Amino acid sequence: MFPVGPAPWPRLRVLWALWALLVVLLAPWRLWAIQETQECTWQVVLNNLESVGKNDAIDHFVDQELYTVDKVFDLLVDAPIDRDEVRGLGADEWERPWSCTLLGSGHLLTISLQTYLGFPYYLKINYSCTGEVSSEALVRKGHLTGLKPVVLVTFQSPVNFHRWKIEQLQIQMEAAPFRSPAERCDAEEVCLMSWYTPMPIKNGSVVMRVDVSSNGLGPFIPNKRFHVNINGFLERGRDHELQFTVGNELFHLIPRHFVNVPSRPLWYTVDQTPVLILGGIPEEKAILLTDTNFKDFFLVELSIDSCWVGSFYCPQASFTATIYDAIATESTLFIRQNQLIYYFTGTYTTLYENNHGSERWVRVLANECIKRLCPVHFHSNGSEYVMALTAGKNEGYVHFGTITDGLVSFKLLPRDRSVCNAILVDNCSITWAVFIAGDYNLLMLVEIVGPTSSKYFQSVITWLCSTPSQNSSLTVGGEGRGGWKSGWVPGEAQATPPHCCVHFAVYLPARGLEFLMILGTESYTNFPMVPKGMSYNPYNNLLLIWGNFLLQSFNSENFIYLADFPKELSIKYLVNSFRGDMAIVTENEEIWYLLEGSYQVYQLFPSKAWEVYISLQVLQQSSRYAPNETMVTLFYEDNKLYQLVYLIDNQQGRLIKRLMPVEQLLMYQQISKEYVLERQGSHLTLSFSNFCPFTVMRLQELPNPQIYTRQERYRAQPPRVLEPWGFHSENSLAVYQGLVYYLLSLHSKYDKPYADPVHDPTWRWWKNKKQDQDYYFYLANNWRSAGSVHVDMTSYEKIYDLKAENELPERIFLDKGTSYSFSVFLTTRKPEVQHGPSFQVLSPVDLAVVLADPDCIEAMVKEKVLVNRNSVLFWVTLSDKRSCFDQGISGHHLMKTSMLVKVLGSSGHCFQNTNRGPQQPDGASAYWLPARQAPGLRYHLHAAVQPRAEQTLLRLRQSGPGDALLSLPGQWVSSTLSFTLPGPPCLPAHCPHPSSALPLGPFISPPNPSLISPPGLHPSDPTVFYPFFLIQDLVTGDSGSFQGSYVLKVVGGGPTLDTIKEYSEEEIYRFNSPLDKTGSLIWTTENTTTTEDLAFNIMSHNSLGIEWLCLENSPCHDTIPHNIFAPEFFFKVLVSNRGVDESTYCDYQLTFLLHIHGLPLSARRAFLILLVSASLFVGLVILYIVCCLLSPYMVKVCNILRWKINSIIGLESNYTYSTPSDSRAFSHSGTVSWRSSRLNSRVVYKGAEENKAET
């Protein structure tokens, strides 16, 4: 018997300890079981409407037109789909955010929201695993165990933000199981099946990322990303077969096209290019073309004329058909063959309102001798760029190409004089050029021939578009940053003279440690320095100059020489991930690797680590490696390095894309160098040294991502089908298409100036059917839903509360003065203890923070040592310093900058095991951007920042029709939450024609004291009108009062909606400026704060309000009423915070209509109306008196006139006519005549007597 008290607890602790020991003993078996599980991977292909259910059908994204699915929706007669509500929206609310075209019609339709549309393609999803089990059996097993793929489609923002709205849009869809009708199975209920989801498209986006994950049931399948891009260089022929518009497809890969052929770089606009091209096929005018990042590809022979124009100013040693340079942009392809440049624009109806597709290759700069094309990897100002270097007569110039909406134009730069003349040399040649959009700089690597024919190099910066009036604070050399000029075109503004910033030595510096700072005092070797090209990373301002050496600089002035790269090698091209690492390819096809934050260059191929890796692949019988292989190109995709390799195995050649295992090679290198053989007993054991300073690294306390990533995400699930096995039919898939389309269309048309009363784009979809939700649920549970399909209204919604995962997002965006915080938890390998008067545990790990733009952002790091856990916790906070940039439209002209958070000693030494193999935790480096900035942030900490995409809403705090809200356009435009404030009742006399779409308010003037003042107005002064703003964030759903400043102007107006006109700049000044002396003010305020030029008043949430004046010379003065009601006027009001608001980088600007009723008449017109009314009244009175006096005479005249008329009638009736044969008739007529004569005589006699009596 146990005593009373806590005595049993020790035994309980012993039991828990035994259980823990058992878990530890069984852990290796559990790990072994995990390792023995099959490795599975997702498989996704594109199917058009005709290919649904076919086993081997694979389509390419060619069709960009939508089709109607009204027929299947007509079957849903008793369903939540409110067709009447859809038709009631009207065509005027449709803003053409989607391509509304019948499939294959080739012409656009005028379509309103009266129809549901479907997308032209589906995503077909399967999975496969290693082993002998067939894929069909695996899919059946997954379906029966509850597996459902979840697809997340991310739309890439367009290049031209002037035409399309910049937004981060995603839609998450659950795949629907579909049983293939191609084959019949008698033995099994399920024979062949797959999962399908609609593949949505969006205007302005031609690049889509598809992430496939599991719903958590069934087998474990890692997440996988696919690239689904629109191919605008394919078209359907008359027989509906696909054919290329750029040339003819070659169906056979000949070994001589690839074997022993040098590799070449893959050039394209980063994150924006749907179709990649690669030239370099010897003696063939052919290219490799892909729309899936070389998951599959085409060999296409180009239909170009292949002219060779040689002359004395353009010497050509020989003619070749090889395509040397190839660059792909969002819509246009560029190639160079010999000295000629061609371009071809694809057919993208989702990008342009009018099709700018080319019918053939267009030759440009035909009279120039082009020796090289240089890519510009990033777009800016709504355009993409490409540069052509000239030789011959225009040596020393650069042809700068601009691509906007598929239209190509070239400018010759510099405009005034060549680079050779600017740097005062007679003979020079431009070897390479790099365009830095954020600084308006053109960096050129120039080869100069001296008087003794000796050659040396220097880098030259040409300022393209900087004038003192626009960017007075900018300095040559990249020391400053400026904002973009709106609508900038290279060469239009005044260009400053070229400026020489670096002069290279003739010989290489003597090798010392890992790196050497170039100061001019170092010693040099006799080995010549031969620069070949440059590379620039706009995120961290890292400039690399390469040749038989590597120089790097973060300010384009001070350079560091990387001594680890051997001078005997020559670099052919660099491959930059723009996320902190890069690959180097030499002339002899060696591959080297450089990690940001480290000065050590690692050799990946050939190396001992590569030999170890290949040996392991041979043991695993991998089909992706062969003894005879040739690398075609090297490129980054999703921060991973990939090779395009031509393999020859068993006399068969094939071209494959494979992952370059950078982390594994670095790990094998470390192991091969640092190991020790120790004798234990009678045998030797192998031990390795681990140089990673920590054993565990975790990111903690991550904030919810949406407020920083600005990702808008929608969720859609397939409709429920009333089928025992849950399989969908073609009709239910068509319903799924229409629902996804309408969900995205609601999002697109939510960008409007007048907001809905509910903060959700899907609100109006179900607002008339929400009360019947239980009824539809009852029908579905009893299998009575119309069309055997049940649509759950809660399955189509916008997600506002995404939770943070255990990794940093890809990019973040910050507004002015905002910050982003997270913590890094590190468990150290060896604790260090300091003994002395006070016992102290030292941290053996240190965290370093490197900022690319310390003038714009700042970082704060706090450290906490956790002694009992042998760990260290670092809190990292990134903040905007509120000192860079002026205001701009949200999402436009983003500055790219970065922050590197690095655990010292971790680069190249720390790896983490994942289901995808070893990966570098990247120490923690972040690409970040404070307002007006852009992407990057991975689990190394790569981040980015741009202004918060908040929504500004104007609410009129005056009597009006309910909740009329006005939204200021931003990156994500919509009204979300509606605050209902009490106000005075709107009587019919005050609001004769209320409209729920327009804000309505009365014109309150002092002569109208009976009007009740709404809450918030001063009762003693009812003439003041108080507008205020609401900020509503469409991404997170948050809403609050706008605390910034703004300027309000009336920029147009008219007495009716049809007569509204725009005011000129002079009129706007007269109608709104407090300095106006012409008596033209429309409104005024008691605020004393004005703009710097004192021209306009600055308003805020604390403003004293607005008083409507409508002075004598204003357009609303003396408005003529059109009916019995008081006059009304429609004002076109512009509200903007540009230049007056210090709380945000965002330029909020909105133009909206304000309906003002009850306008008073002018004194002159009122007096005129009074005068006319009084005159009419007096005239009527006088007329009445006159009529009363003259009425007896009028009666007498009327009687006389009547008597005369009767006399005339009586005389005429005395004449009678008779015939001899009818005596009776004669006698009858005579009697009547006699009686009539007597009656007339009496009347005459009576009248005579009356006249006599009156006399």
Side-chain angles (χ1 to χ4, degrees), residues 701-996:
E701 302 178 54
L702 292 169
N704 289 340
Q706 284 182 293
I707 190 174
Y708 296 101
T709 62
R710 312 311 305 164
Q711 286 283 1
E712 292 187 273
R713 180 178 295 186
Y714 289 85
R715 183 175 68 93
Q717 292 183 340
R720 176 183 169 186
V721 292
L722 307 183
E723 199 266 348
W725 290 87
F727 288 106
H728 283 251
S729 63
E730 293 183 357
N731 285 345
S732 62
L733 289 180
V735 172
Y736 198 9
Q737 287 264 19
L739 294 174
V740 172
Y741 162 80
Y742 195 69
L743 178 64
L744 294 178
S745 68
L746 287 174
H747 162 79
S748 64
K749 76 180 183 63
Y750 206 56
D751 179 12
K752 57 184 181 178
Y754 306 106
D756 287 333
V758 178
H759 180 79
D760 199 308
T762 63
W763 163 77
R764 65 168 60 232
W765 195 1
W766 314 111
K767 64 176 183 178
N768 294 336
K769 293 289 186 177
K770 201 69 176 178
Q771 66 274 13
D772 301 328
Q773 184 175 0
D774 295 337
Y775 168 70
Y776 298 122
F777 182 74
Y778 166 79
L779 292 179
N781 287 344
N782 290 274
W783 293 59
R784 295 184 178 181
S785 296
S788 299
V789 172
H790 170 61
V791 178
D792 186 3
M793 290 178 279
T794 62
S795 298
Y796 305 89
E797 61 181 356
K798 189 174 184 178
I799 303 176
Y800 296 103
D801 56 349
L802 289 178
K803 302 302 179 183
E805 300 178 355
N806 295 325
E807 60 181 8
L808 290 171
E810 183 180 357
R811 59 176 61 90
I812 61 175
F813 301 91
L814 295 183
D815 197 4
K816 193 172 188 177
T818 54
S819 60
Y820 181 83
S821 301
F822 60 93
S823 62
V824 181
F825 177 85
L826 297 173
T827 299
T828 61
R829 188 170 298 279
K830 295 179 180 179
E832 298 180 6
V833 181
Q834 180 181 3
H835 299 279
S838 61
F839 180 81
Q840 184 178 5
V841 178
L842 301 179
S843 171
V845 294
D846 293 311
L847 201 69
V849 177
V850 181
L851 302 177
D853 294 281
D855 295 335
C856 301
I857 61 175
E858 62 181 357
M860 180 179 295
V861 180
K862 294 182 180 180
E863 177 187 15
K864 181 180 181 181
V865 179
L866 307 176
V867 180
N868 58 338
R869 303 177 64 179
N870 192 25
S871 303
V872 183
L873 185 64
F874 295 94
W875 285 282
V876 181
T877 302
L878 311 176
S879 302
D880 175 61
K881 298 177 69 173
R882 309 175 67 97
S883 60
C884 288
F885 319 110
D886 54 1
Q887 289 177 295
I889 298 177
S890 181
H892 293 197
H893 311 308
L894 302 178
M895 169 195 164
K896 299 176 178 65
T897 185
S898 68
M899 180 202 69
L900 174 68
V901 180
K902 175 183 171 62
V903 178
L904 299 184
S906 64
S907 297
H909 296 134
C910 298
F911 308 94
Q912 60 180 139
N913 292 321
T914 66
N915 57 339
R916 301 176 183 176
Q919 292 184 0
Q920 296 186 75
D922 293 336
S925 90
Y927 283 116
W928 175 81
L929 355 170
R932 309 215 25 212
Q933 291 144 42
L937 207 151
R938 69 179 186 188
Y939 186 69
H940 181 103
L941 305 186
H942 280 75
V945 186
Q946 112 178 359
R948 294 184 61 184
E950 295 175 324
Q951 187 56 32
T952 304
L953 301 178
L954 173 62
R955 177 156 192 169
L956 302 178
R957 198 172 178 180
Q958 183 56 277
S959 60
D963 300 332
L965 297 180
L966 306 177
S967 62
L968 244 66
Q971 186 172 358
W972 289 266
V973 184
S974 168
S975 73
T976 52
L977 301 178
S978 174
F979 292 160
T980 302
L981 298 178
C986 186
L987 303 177
H990 300 151
C991 312
H993 304 291
S995 172
S996 60

Side-chain angles (χ1 to χ4, degrees), residues 36 155 163 225 343 609 655 697 1002 1027 1045:
E36 289 298 320
F155 300 96
R163 178 183 296 273
R225 173 169 292 181
Y343 76 86
L655 194 63
M697 177 181 178
S1045 303

Side-chain angles (χ1 to χ4, degrees), residues 284-326:
E284 294 288 345
K285 56 178 183 180
I287 59 173
L288 289 173
L289 186 147
T290 177
D291 54 18
T292 58
N293 287 21
F294 288 104
K295 179 186 176 183
D296 53 25
F297 54 87
F298 305 94
L299 181 62
V300 182
E301 183 182 17
L302 304 182
S303 54
I304 56 177
D305 47 18
S306 299
C307 293
W308 177 46
V309 181
S311 63
F312 69 94
Y313 66 85
C314 188
Q316 291 284 334
S318 61
F319 167 78
T320 177
T322 306
I323 305 298
Y324 284 108
D325 300 329

